[in-house]
Amino acid sequence: MQLSELIVPLLIIFLLVYGMVKKVNSYDCFVKGANQSIDLVVSIFPYLVAIFVAVELMKVSGLTALCTIILTPIFSILQIPPELSELILIRPFSGSGSLAVLENIYTNYGADSYIGRCASVIIGCSDSIFYIATIYLSQTKVKKLGFAIPIALVATLIGVVCACLLCKIM
């Protein structure tokens, strides 16, 4: 048995012992937290549906393919392989959608190919910006994002360019 297999059980035991020492009813706290999580899920559900519908509409309508065609010359200048265009377009919207695109890249080009390595690094160095903004900011009073999303998108593009350059020299 490895230490990593023991981390969660040890954490649970620690929390229960800590609760007993502090004289806190751990079960009641757990139930109260679980009840609050149901309210949270219900409140963010419409935002989740909106993001998933938008991603699916982009794919089905052909908007993703059109954007890929439009962005290919720009990506060529930045030395980003055009095969990664769909991944780069989907990643800011959906983590699970981008993982499906990554799986297709692995199937078509192989995980150890240049394209596969670039795709892996892109997945690792970027995040689903619009998903995060939708979920987290739906629960706060912050409604004006200002430059947050444009800066995050530029940072993602810089990460993509760096990923492709690093994979090229390695």
Side-chain angles (χ1 to χ4, degrees):
M1 188 174 258
Q2 294 181 341
L3 178 63
S4 61
E5 295 171 347
L6 294 174
I7 289 176
V8 172
L10 288 174
L11 182 62
I12 292 171
I13 291 169
F14 171 77
L15 290 173
L16 290 173
V17 169
Y18 183 77
M20 286 192 301
V21 168
K22 292 288 187 174
K23 297 183 177 156
V24 173
N25 188 339
S26 299
Y27 180 75
D28 286 343
C29 290
F30 175 79
V31 170
K32 183 179 177 183
N35 191 23
Q36 290 174 349
S37 69
I38 291 171
D39 295 337
L40 176 68
V41 169
V42 168
S43 69
I44 66 172
F45 185 73
Y47 299 99
L48 282 172
V49 170
I51 286 292
F52 290 139
V53 168
V55 168
E56 195 59 33
L57 283 174
M58 283 177 60
K59 286 182 185 178
V60 173
S61 69
L63 182 61
T64 306
L66 179 65
C67 289
T68 299
I69 292 167
I70 293 169
L71 292 174
T72 297
I74 298 168
F75 286 169
S76 296
I77 293 169
L78 297 173
Q79 298 186 1
I80 300 170
E83 297 86 356
L84 299 174
S85 298
E86 185 180 10
L87 176 65
I88 295 166
L89 291 171
I90 296 294
R91 183 65 176 159
F93 292 97
S94 170
S96 57
S98 61
L99 288 175
V101 173
L102 179 66
E103 183 181 359
N104 288 339
I105 290 172
Y106 286 165
T107 302
N108 294 332
Y109 302 101
D112 291 332
S113 67
Y114 171 65
I115 305 289
R117 289 192 326 266
C118 287
S120 298
V121 177
I122 289 168
I123 289 286
C125 76
S126 62
D127 214 333
S128 48
I129 298 163
F130 293 105
Y131 175 82
I132 290 171
T134 300
I135 299 307
Y136 292 140
L137 297 176
S138 71
Q139 295 303 305
T140 65
K141 293 180 182 178
V142 176
K143 298 301 176 198
K144 294 181 181 177
L145 297 177
F147 294 109
I149 290 180
I151 289 172
L153 291 171
V154 169
T156 297
L157 180 61
I158 292 169
V160 166
V161 170
C162 291
C164 293
L165 291 175
L166 284 173
C167 289
K168 189 175 275 193
I169 62 173
M170 295 185 127

